[in-house]
Amino acid sequence: MEICNSYSSSSVDSTKHSASESSVNLSLSLTFPSTSPQRATKQDWPPIKPRLRDTLKVRRRLLQRDYDTCLFVKVYMEGVPIGRKLDLSTFSGYESLLESLSQMFNTSIICGNHRDRKHHVLTYQDTDGDWMMVGDIPWEMFLETVRRLKITKPEGC
Amino acid sequence: MNKALKFPMNYFPEEVIEHIFDFIASHRDRNSISLVSKSWHKIERYSRHQVFIGNCYAISPERLIRRFPCLRSLTLKGKPHFADFNLVPHEWGGFLHPWIDALSKARVGLEELRLKRMVVSDESLELLSRSFVSFKSLVLVSCDGFTTDGLASIAANCRNLRELDLQENEIDDHRGQWLNCFPDSCTTLVSLNFACLKGEINLSALERLVARSTNLKSLKVNRAVPLDGLTRLMSCAPQLVDLGVGCYENEAEPESFASLMAAIKKCTLLRSLSGFSEVASVCLTAFYPICENLTSLNLSYAAEIQGNHLIEFVQFCKRLQLLWILDSIGDKGLEVVASSCKELQELRVFPSDPHDEEDNNTAVTEVGLVAISAGCPKLHSILYFCKQMTNEALITVAKNCPNFIRFRLCILEPNKPDHITSQSLDEGFGAIVQSCKGLRRLSVSGLLTDKVFLYIGMYAEQLEMLSIAFAGDTDKGMLYVLNGCKKLRKLEIRDSPFGNAALLADVGKYETMRSLWMSSCEVTLGGCKRLARNAPWLNVEIINENENENGRMERNEEDEREKVDRLYLYRTVVGTRKDAPPCVTIL
């Protein structure tokens, strides 16, 4: 179990983990607008003791690991026989995912809600096996449930 | 008239008076009787065996020993409370060594030592173990600075050790054989708690120790003790009253699990259960046979056990008086507690998701708090972490529970208002202090104006400790408290707009208090200097972690208008301490 240096004023974790964890850490400084970002990373709020803090960190890391094992997904574009593999944990949200996919497949891709005839639409298969529009649910929830991605042609959907 | 008739007690022989004093245990009462007369002072001095020192820098070891030469039991507290939350530098102070050194040299017959937030070294523990022949009990809470080598000295040298209780300490685990150091002749252990140790231990040494300690009532092991080990331990100690469980494999073999349950069934005296970190839900079920007997249950580290399993278990614990749990139990779970645990006196609900990183709704709200207040008539102490609160709920709670002694509410998001009316929570907390006339400890949170402090100053007559974070508007807030709460001993404030005017208004007030902490407030260096000048009986400490190690505050052109990051002041009879590190300046 990693023992976090309680009195370090420089960072929350003294070792760097995956990008998804550092995006989680970023949210710390955004949660408390009335305090400076430095204060948030000092781990002095909320007022819980170090042993509980460590216990919850371990739990958090285990949960994160569960997310991590699901984060490599295959992406296919309709009409293209060869798919790609993508690590979703490297993206901070839908925007960066779409941008990256658009570059990767050299076409413009959008989320489901802005459908029109010109653009490809991104869909995903969830843990139940159903195909859904990407973008309907919060990003974190999407990461939990996504199994594979499909970029559909403009006309079909 | 004959003086003996008018003042009979003065003419009792000393031994009789001393015998009467033996019945007076409370420190405050003893302090009072020592003030009655010179002879009483003297008798009290020599008959005082237990001393409590709330701030180790308020007095020196030498003066303590001079006054109480027959000391047997000493309690010492070091760092201020907010050190628990990383607000005090590690090297700030609170060193045990000078105390052990002085007690050892004076050949005091020390038997018990209880320390909280002190820096303890292996050398001190070694000296302790060799200096006091009758030493029986060592309790260390939130201390650091030592390793398992220090524990080895205690184990090896304290022939009459009854209690070794380590709670929430930062101990450097050398994975050595400290448990082996208990000699075979040591059979006097009544209480052994090493739950906070992070490393491996010698299981067979532990088993042998437990087997020969026939008086053992309390055993709390660390995560290194697996399920089979726990079964063997409980089999040789069915007399246990208090058990702290370690770590289980996630899928226990059915036979191992059955053996554990059989061993647990035999522990008919078991009343208190804790531990369960990194333990899967199924392992909690092994304790169903005895859950009806439990009076104390601490599942605040049981982060792996899901809410529904917690609820299933707790509903059968009908005799619970103390419950510490994570908020994963949810409002529904608290409603179950309210209907099942009618004997409940103390409840603590801790946040499982302190930084709101998970997208779940299982945290507790005002609903759970109201349910508990309605269902548990004996409730007197509560610590409640939640995401939201309303005035209406607090007013209801105040009506339901006028007997609160300790009320600590922590809304995770600073400055959060009543989530229904969007107003401040002044009225809610106001209702609490007005209704709970015996309230001794209070922590406030959420959106609060100066008004809540007006209420606190007006109604909280018995209040001894107040914790304030992200609250108030002006100096008036702090002044209401300082002027109103006559019994206030500890005041700790962070991130609130109180400044010099409040700090300096009544300097004499601080002589009636143990300490004041202010961090990220509006007090300036100039204000603190003025305070230090006007109150020589106070140590006024400025803590500034950003100072370079080359020296203390090296600003010749000191800007008196500069805000002080952290201020800690306390009354003392021994003046400025000599052991402050560079980051601490004593004005």
Side-chain angles (χ1 to χ4, degrees):
Chain A
M1 176 162 75
E2 182 198 55
I3 299 161
C4 182
N5 181 357
S6 313
Y7 299 97
S8 144
S9 55
S10 52
S11 64
V12 174
D13 281 308
S14 44
T15 61
K16 284 275 171 262
H17 291 283
S18 66
S20 60
E21 214 166 307
S22 51
S23 70
V24 159
N25 288 344
L26 223 89
S27 73
L28 269 177
S29 59
L30 298 173
T31 320
F32 307 117
S34 54
T35 63
S36 68
Q38 288 91 12
R39 177 68 71 204
T41 56
K42 259 188 180 178
Q43 298 203 93
D44 56 35
W45 187 265
I48 57 176
K49 292 189 188 175
R51 195 175 153 202
L52 179 61
R53 215 175 267 284
D54 287 347
T55 302
L56 295 176
K57 258 211 201 92
V58 171
R59 172 174 172 267
R60 181 105 200 93
R61 205 170 306 124
L62 290 176
L63 286 177
Q64 204 70 35
R65 209 195 299 148
D66 289 342
Y67 294 164
D68 286 350
T69 57
C70 304
L71 284 180
F72 266 100
V73 294
K74 289 194 188 151
V75 191
Y76 284 92
M77 180 146 105
E78 256 185 358
V80 178
I82 309 223
R84 307 289 294 269
K85 211 163 184 192
L86 211 58
D87 181 4
L88 292 181
S89 66
T90 60
F91 301 107
S92 54
Y94 290 120
E95 257 186 60
S96 54
L97 173 63
L98 286 174
E99 205 175 48
S100 191
L101 284 175
S102 299
Q103 276 181 7
M104 202 184 273
F105 288 90
N106 206 13
T107 179
S108 71
I109 305 168
I110 51 164
C111 278
N113 12 359
H114 307 293
R115 249 183 313 192
D116 67 14
R117 291 187 173 264
K118 292 188 213 146
H119 301 284
H120 287 79
V121 173
L122 187 58
T123 62
Y124 72 101
Q125 188 181 40
D126 67 7
T127 42
D128 291 339
D130 301 320
W131 285 96
M132 318 285 284
M133 292 292 181
V134 166
D136 284 346
I137 55 172
W139 176 251
E140 287 75 30
M141 215 185 269
F142 169 71
L143 290 181
E144 274 183 73
T145 184
V146 63
R147 288 293 163 265
R148 49 162 68 174
L149 293 170
K150 186 161 76 182
I151 302 166
T152 64
K153 287 197 226 177
E155 299 82 10
C157 207
Chain B
M1 184 196 283
N2 188 343
K3 260 194 182 168
L5 288 175
K6 213 172 175 197
F7 304 108
M9 204 162 164
N10 278 348
Y11 293 84
F12 285 179
E14 271 190 22
E15 307 82 62
V16 176
I17 300 184
E18 198 181 309
H19 183 66
I20 297 174
F21 286 1
D22 273 348
F23 292 99
I24 300 169
S26 135
H27 301 290
R28 282 182 216 181
D29 290 343
R30 290 228 112 184
N31 290 344
S32 303
I33 60 180
S34 70
L35 296 172
V36 166
S37 68
K38 263 195 178 151
S39 72
W40 278 33
H41 185 90
K42 183 175 155 216
I43 299 169
E44 201 281 318
R45 269 181 69 203
Y46 285 99
S47 67
R48 179 87 78 110
H49 300 305
Q50 278 183 318
V51 177
F52 170 88
I53 296 180
N55 174 5
C56 64
Y57 289 119
I59 188 144
S60 71
E62 291 74 26
R63 281 181 69 157
L64 170 73
I65 297 166
R66 237 194 338 245
R67 179 156 171 203
F68 300 117
C70 303
L71 183 59
R72 286 192 218 144
S73 165
L74 177 62
T75 301
L76 276 174
K77 293 191 181 182
K79 294 190 174 86
H81 176 228
F82 277 179
D84 286 349
F85 317 126
N86 299 337
L87 284 172
V88 178
H90 167 70
E91 66 275 17
W92 174 85
F95 304 104
L96 175 65
H97 201 80
W99 295 86
I100 299 296
D101 200 39
L103 289 164
S104 171
K105 288 196 173 111
R107 298 175 202 267
V108 169
L110 193 68
E111 293 178 14
E112 290 176 10
L113 187 62
R114 303 179 63 97
L115 305 176
K116 192 165 190 181
R117 294 189 207 101
M118 300 279 297
V119 177
V120 176
S121 64
D122 287 343
E123 290 71 36
S124 305
L125 290 175
E126 160 98 43
L127 183 59
L128 168 69
S129 72
R130 293 194 186 284
S131 306
F132 311 110
V133 165
S134 309
F135 193 75
K136 292 204 290 266
S137 165
L138 181 63
V139 180
L140 303 179
V141 180
S142 302
C143 297
D144 64 346
F146 60 109
T147 78
T148 45
D149 295 348
L151 299 180
S153 327
I154 298 287
N157 304 328
C158 298
R159 296 293 156 89
N160 296 308
L161 194 68
R162 295 211 198 135
E163 181 173 26
L164 178 59
D165 187 357
L166 308 169
Q167 300 175 30
E168 312 248 354
N169 302 291
E170 289 292 326
I171 305 174
D172 212 352
D173 199 325
H174 288 172
R175 287 157 186 75
Q177 302 293 319
W178 67 277
L179 275 170
N180 278 359
C181 296
F182 282 103
D184 289 339
S185 54
C186 173
T187 59
T188 48
L189 270 183
V190 173
S191 166
L192 177 63
N193 172 9
F194 58 93
C196 62
L197 276 181
K198 294 182 172 123
E200 299 303 313
I201 52 140
N202 186 325
L203 271 173
S204 56
L206 176 62
E207 280 168 43
R208 286 194 311 270
L209 178 62
V210 168
R212 66 179 184 270
S213 304
T214 51
N215 290 328
L216 193 68
K217 299 268 185 306
S218 170
L219 176 65
K220 294 180 185 168
V221 301
N222 74 344
R223 47 198 291 266
V225 177
L227 193 148
D228 296 342
L230 183 70
T231 305
R232 286 195 297 274
L233 288 171
M234 293 180 79
S235 303
C236 45
Q239 77 282 4
L240 280 178
V241 172
D242 181 12
L243 175 68
V245 155
C247 173
Y248 298 0
E249 305 97 51
N250 274 336
E251 275 100 49
E253 301 290 303
E255 291 123 34
S256 311
F257 197 72
S259 306
L260 177 64
M261 262 188 106
I264 289 170
K265 270 200 190 111
K266 297 217 181 89
C267 295
T268 55
L269 296 175
L270 200 55
R271 295 288 172 273
S272 168
L273 207 52
S274 62
F276 293 98
S277 57
E278 296 171 61
V279 162
S281 297
V282 66
C283 301
L284 188 56
T285 62
F287 290 91
Y288 274 119
I290 53 91
C291 64
E292 277 176 5
N293 300 335
L294 290 178
T295 56
S296 168
L297 181 61
N298 180 357
L299 292 174
S300 56
Y301 296 109
E304 303 301 322
I305 301 182
Q306 285 156 343
N308 51 342
H309 293 121
L310 293 174
I311 298 174
E312 269 169 41
F313 190 78
V314 160
Q315 69 182 321
F316 296 116
C317 301
K318 305 243 183 256
R319 299 216 185 111
L320 270 191
Q321 295 171 17
L322 180 145
L323 176 63
W324 292 17
I325 202 151
L326 287 172
D327 65 4
S328 36
I329 196 174
D331 285 333
K332 284 278 170 291
L334 290 179
E335 283 164 8
V336 170
V337 171
S339 61
S340 309
C341 309
K342 295 300 184 187
E343 301 296 314
L344 197 65
Q345 297 177 25
E346 176 176 336
L347 174 69
R348 295 194 190 187
V349 181
F350 294 97
S352 58
D353 179 23
H355 299 294
D356 206 8
E357 291 160 326
E358 288 161 43
D359 194 24
N360 61 22
N361 293 319
T362 58
V364 296
T365 70
E366 71 275 14
V367 171
L369 183 61
V370 169
I372 291 285
S373 74
C376 304
K378 300 191 183 178
L379 193 66
H380 59 62
S381 295
I382 188 157
L383 168 59
Y384 199 79
F385 284 85
C386 59
K387 291 190 175 160
Q388 63 189 43
M389 188 49 56
T390 65
N391 283 310
E392 189 183 344
L394 286 173
I395 291 168
T396 307
V397 168
K399 248 192 258 167
N400 291 340
C401 290
N403 297 326
F404 273 134
I405 301 174
R406 295 174 203 96
F407 187 83
R408 294 193 279 166
L409 182 69
C410 182
I411 302 168
L412 291 173
E413 191 187 315
N415 297 317
K416 188 156 185 187
D418 178 320
H419 76 93
I420 293 180
T421 66
S422 297
Q423 290 182 328
S424 73
L425 291 172
D426 297 337
E427 296 307 313
F429 281 104
I432 295 282
V433 291
Q434 207 173 342
S435 166
C436 305
K437 306 220 187 300
L439 195 69
R440 296 207 298 252
R441 185 168 179 185
L442 177 67
S443 298
V444 296
S445 59
L447 182 66
L448 296 167
T449 72
D450 286 345
K451 199 159 192 213
V452 72
F453 301 113
L454 173 66
Y455 290 139
I456 293 174
M458 248 178 7
Y459 296 114
E461 286 171 17
Q462 302 300 319
L463 195 67
E464 295 175 5
M465 183 169 177
L466 178 62
S467 308
I468 302 171
F470 305 101
D473 301 316
T474 73
D475 283 329
K476 278 205 204 120
M478 187 169 159
L479 282 169
Y480 290 140
V481 171
L482 290 174
N483 294 335
C485 300
K486 298 293 175 215
K487 296 210 176 167
L488 194 65
R489 289 190 299 119
K490 287 183 279 187
L491 180 59
E492 45 185 29
I493 307 172
R494 59 166 291 181
D495 294 276
S496 301
F498 306 135
N500 295 338
L503 182 69
L504 294 164
D506 178 9
V507 154
K509 173 72 176 174
Y510 304 126
E511 206 182 351
T512 69
M513 290 168 57
R514 186 190 297 174
S515 63
L516 167 69
W517 169 280
M518 292 180 78
S519 57
S520 304
C521 297
E522 302 289 315
V523 291
T524 69
L525 182 57
C528 294
K529 281 185 170 176
R530 216 150 88 226
L531 175 63
R533 270 199 306 270
N534 295 343
W537 58 83
L538 290 180
N539 273 355
V540 179
E541 299 194 2
I542 310 289
I543 301 168
N544 195 341
E545 219 161 350
N546 296 327
E547 287 307 310
N548 57 20
E549 281 171 18
N550 287 341
R552 297 166 189 259
M553 286 160 71
E554 281 175 352
R555 309 164 199 170
N556 291 327
E557 325 81 41
E558 276 163 353
D559 187 355
E560 307 241 316
R561 287 158 303 168
E562 188 161 322
K563 279 191 211 156
V564 160
D565 192 31
R566 280 165 284 183
L567 160 69
Y568 180 53
L569 64 86
Y570 51 90
R571 66 182 176 191
T572 177
V573 295
V574 289
T576 307
R577 62 184 174 111
K578 308 282 184 297
D579 60 4
C583 61
V584 174
T585 306
I586 307 180
L587 298 177

